[in-house]
Amino acid sequence: MASPRLFDRLLIRVSATDGQEDVRGFLQGLVTNDTRRLEPDAADGPIWAALLTAQGKVLFDFLLWADGDDVLIDCEAAHADGLIRRLSIYRLRRKIAFERDEDRGVFWSADGGEGSPDPRLPELGRRWIAPIADDDADVSAGFRAHRLACGVTEGEAELGQEATLWLECNAIELNGVAFDKGCYVGQENTARMNWRQKVNRRLAVVPLDQADEKRQRIAYPELGYSVEHRRVEDMEALDLPDWQRAGIEAMDPKVADGAPLS
């Protein structure tokens, strides 16, 4: 039976070329999530994270997997080389290597027992890493439809590059940020937004019949969805998923009391 692989994803291996180097420590000072959760023998699956600008805007989002002492970055295949170039800027003189892992791929299933639950939302299904085979089935379109139906956005086309603050991507609600891990690129503005409980805009998956082209990042006519960057007060009438509605309420106690968003 053909294995369900995400053909639009690619793995980047981050490894030390010197035994004294610490790959997780290197990434810890760069990405939004806590790489200490990636123990070499971790069985908890991946974490979702991003690399930001100094202002806290998204450059790349990805999932990180433990692979012994190495870390695998599960990212968009189309932007893998750009991510490697960006990470290489921060490497300086550290003896750390980045290379595309062409022998293994990212696999996904909406249900079943194989793999690990998606760290963003259990409803997104399960994913795992395995060797690539010639008869793998491409389920990228199926995952995209399932993900958008769950209200979850990802990738440059939806998040933008240097266009969206990380918390506006629902990073708190989808477990993409750690506030107790110390400094990383873009940490100051991200932490300030959380401390002030102030996320004025958010990305949302909107039915096409409710779309606003002025706020649209990308439309999927074949799926009936529009991904939009909206002010929070403009989202009240939308049919939002429960996880997103709860996140908005948590950021504004008045909403929890039944008052309109403002």
Side-chain angles (χ1 to χ4, degrees):
M1 180 179 296
S3 297
R5 177 159 60 95
L6 298 172
F7 280 40
D8 60 356
R9 305 294 290 186
L10 186 138
L11 294 169
I12 298 172
R13 178 174 296 280
V14 187
S15 59
T17 58
D18 183 290
Q20 301 301 311
E21 279 290 1
D22 176 11
V23 168
R24 287 162 181 75
F26 168 75
L27 292 172
Q28 183 78 330
L30 295 179
V31 305
T32 60
N33 219 325
D34 193 345
T35 62
R36 292 174 297 186
R37 295 166 53 193
L38 296 171
E39 296 298 330
D41 57 351
D44 295 335
I47 59 175
W48 187 47
L51 184 64
L52 310 179
T53 67
Q55 295 74 35
K57 294 186 176 182
V58 181
L59 288 168
F60 303 92
D61 76 305
F62 38 75
L63 285 86
L64 300 175
W65 298 78
D67 189 37
D69 291 331
D70 296 349
V71 172
L72 294 174
I73 303 178
D74 166 356
C75 67
E76 289 186 281
H79 302 292
D81 291 339
L83 177 54
I84 289 174
R85 286 193 295 271
R86 177 66 66 159
L87 289 171
S88 298
I89 292 173
Y90 295 109
R91 177 175 52 191
L92 300 176
R93 295 181 180 275
R94 298 191 65 167
K95 296 179 180 180
I96 292 175
F98 313 100
E99 59 181 352
R100 297 162 63 108
D101 189 333
E102 307 280 7
D103 297 324
R104 293 196 287 175
V106 181
F107 295 77
W108 170 79
S109 177
D111 49 30
E114 191 165 4
S116 302
D118 193 296
R120 293 167 288 186
L121 198 68
E123 291 85 346
L124 286 177
R126 304 177 71 87
R127 58 202 293 149
W128 64 97
I129 292 172
I132 291 173
D134 291 339
D135 62 348
D136 289 341
D138 187 358
V139 294
S140 303
F143 175 66
R144 182 183 305 112
H146 183 74
R147 174 175 59 78
L148 292 169
C150 292
V152 176
T153 56
E154 70 174 20
E156 183 174 318
E158 296 171 13
L159 308 188
Q161 190 172 69
E162 300 188 54
T164 315
L165 294 164
W166 185 228
L167 298 194
E168 295 177 343
C169 302
N170 306 293
I172 295 176
E173 295 74 25
L174 297 174
N175 307 307
V177 61
F179 293 109
D180 59 353
K181 58 162 283 183
C183 295
Y184 55 89
V185 179
Q187 179 266 342
E188 184 175 357
N189 198 29
T190 304
R192 184 186 300 115
M193 289 176 67
N194 180 62
W195 176 255
R196 293 180 176 176
Q197 295 273 288
K198 196 172 183 64
V199 181
N200 295 325
R201 295 174 175 80
R202 286 178 181 263
L203 288 175
V205 180
V206 179
L208 274 180
D209 60 5
Q210 299 181 41
D212 183 341
E213 292 186 2
K214 293 181 180 180
R215 296 174 172 85
Q216 189 176 84
R217 285 286 171 79
I218 186 171
Y220 297 98
E222 72 282 7
L223 299 175
Y225 293 122
S226 172
V227 174
E228 301 183 4
H229 190 217
R230 290 201 177 203
R231 294 192 63 85
V232 170
E233 57 263 32
D234 295 334
M235 296 171 65
E236 176 65 15
L238 297 179
D239 183 18
L240 300 176
D242 290 344
W243 65 263
Q244 189 171 37
R245 180 66 67 186
I248 292 173
E249 291 174 356
M251 279 287 179
D252 188 345
K254 297 190 297 300
V255 178
D257 295 333
L261 290 166
S262 60

